[in-house]
Amino acid sequence: MTRLMIPLGYLYKQVASRPEWLKAAQVTDIYSLSNCVSKDFTDYVRYWKHNGYWLFDSPDIIAEIVNDASLSMEQQKLFYYEAYELQYDEDAQTWSKFTPELSFTTEIATPKNRRLEGFDITSFSLGNAPECSPLSCNARADELLTNEHCLLGSFEEAKAVIEQGSFHRCEPGPYRIIAVYSVGDVGDSGLG
């Protein structure tokens, strides 16, 4: 299956252990893009340093916020995200292109060292910032096979569960397929 994954950017997150209400025994923690369970490093939008996908072009930009605001980065994990070039509208049952918010600069530095952790599915009803990840937020991992990070194992699987209606009425869409990568430790972004 031919697919184009586009870079979205970086984000530090406080990775949460599987909440008690999520019954999926294979899940140990939550690597979702959404802020619902595993929280973002801060309410970063108020600093207006994010890119057109409402993430960050590089870890260095996040470091500026951290330093300026004297934030603690203990227990934070750096992630890099890519998205399938199309988003799915479940009402129309169609895939369509999306673009970054053009009023923000979007020049994403790709990490040299990254590890694919799996695929998330995230809602974008406002079209800009990521919202909910139904695998964790709506406990769809209770019924769908995910890995230990509450992510799907392949792009093909993610596309199939969307098209089969597995997230029907979980969240207002459209839905985007997100490749979730871990990138080293704090201070080791592996940028090239």
Side-chain angles (χ1 to χ4, degrees):
M1 172 181 294
T2 303
R3 69 176 189 267
L4 175 63
M5 300 298 285
I6 55 176
L8 298 183
Y10 297 84
L11 191 59
Y12 277 102
K13 298 188 73 71
Q14 174 88 40
V15 175
S17 297
R18 176 177 53 89
E20 288 183 21
W21 49 261
L22 185 62
K23 303 304 180 201
Q26 77 280 9
V27 174
T28 59
D29 52 23
I30 309 297
Y31 277 19
S32 67
L33 173 56
S34 78
N35 187 41
C36 299
V37 179
S38 290
K39 300 299 181 189
D40 300 338
F41 72 101
T42 190
D43 179 15
Y44 62 85
V45 174
R46 64 187 171 140
Y47 297 100
W48 294 103
K49 293 188 178 191
H50 53 277
N51 65 24
Y53 293 113
W54 293 62
L55 296 174
F56 293 92
D57 286 342
S58 77
D60 294 338
I61 297 170
I62 300 171
E64 290 175 24
I65 294 172
V66 169
N67 291 334
D68 292 348
S70 298
L71 300 173
S72 171
M73 293 302 284
E74 287 185 38
Q75 307 296 316
Q76 300 291 329
K77 185 168 183 61
L78 179 61
F79 292 96
Y80 170 75
Y81 303 96
E82 294 178 340
Y84 179 42
E85 66 178 322
L86 304 176
Q87 62 186 5
Y88 190 75
D89 179 327
E90 71 174 357
D91 292 330
Q93 296 184 347
T94 58
W95 291 93
S96 63
K97 291 223 177 250
F98 63 93
T99 59
E101 169 61 47
L102 298 177
S103 62
F104 292 94
T105 301
T106 303
E107 297 174 357
I108 301 159
T110 305
K112 281 191 300 189
N113 301 313
R114 61 183 174 177
R115 177 180 165 179
L116 180 62
E117 301 290 354
F119 293 84
D120 194 16
I121 297 169
T122 308
S123 64
F124 285 82
S125 67
L126 299 178
N128 52 15
E131 294 159 8
C132 293
S133 298
L135 289 169
S136 54
C137 303
N138 301 91
R140 297 302 294 140
D142 288 350
E143 299 173 23
L144 299 169
L145 182 60
T146 66
N147 64 20
E148 69 273 19
H149 305 303
C150 205
L151 301 172
L152 297 168
S154 71
F155 169 82
E156 291 76 16
E157 186 179 356
K159 190 168 189 279
V161 298
I162 289 175
E163 291 177 340
Q164 292 165 1
S166 297
F167 301 122
H168 186 64
R169 304 235 186 265
C170 282
E171 297 291 338
Y175 292 119
R176 296 179 191 171
I177 300 172
I178 308 295
V180 179
Y181 295 88
S182 57
V183 183
D185 296 322
V186 174
D188 175 27
S189 63
L191 292 176

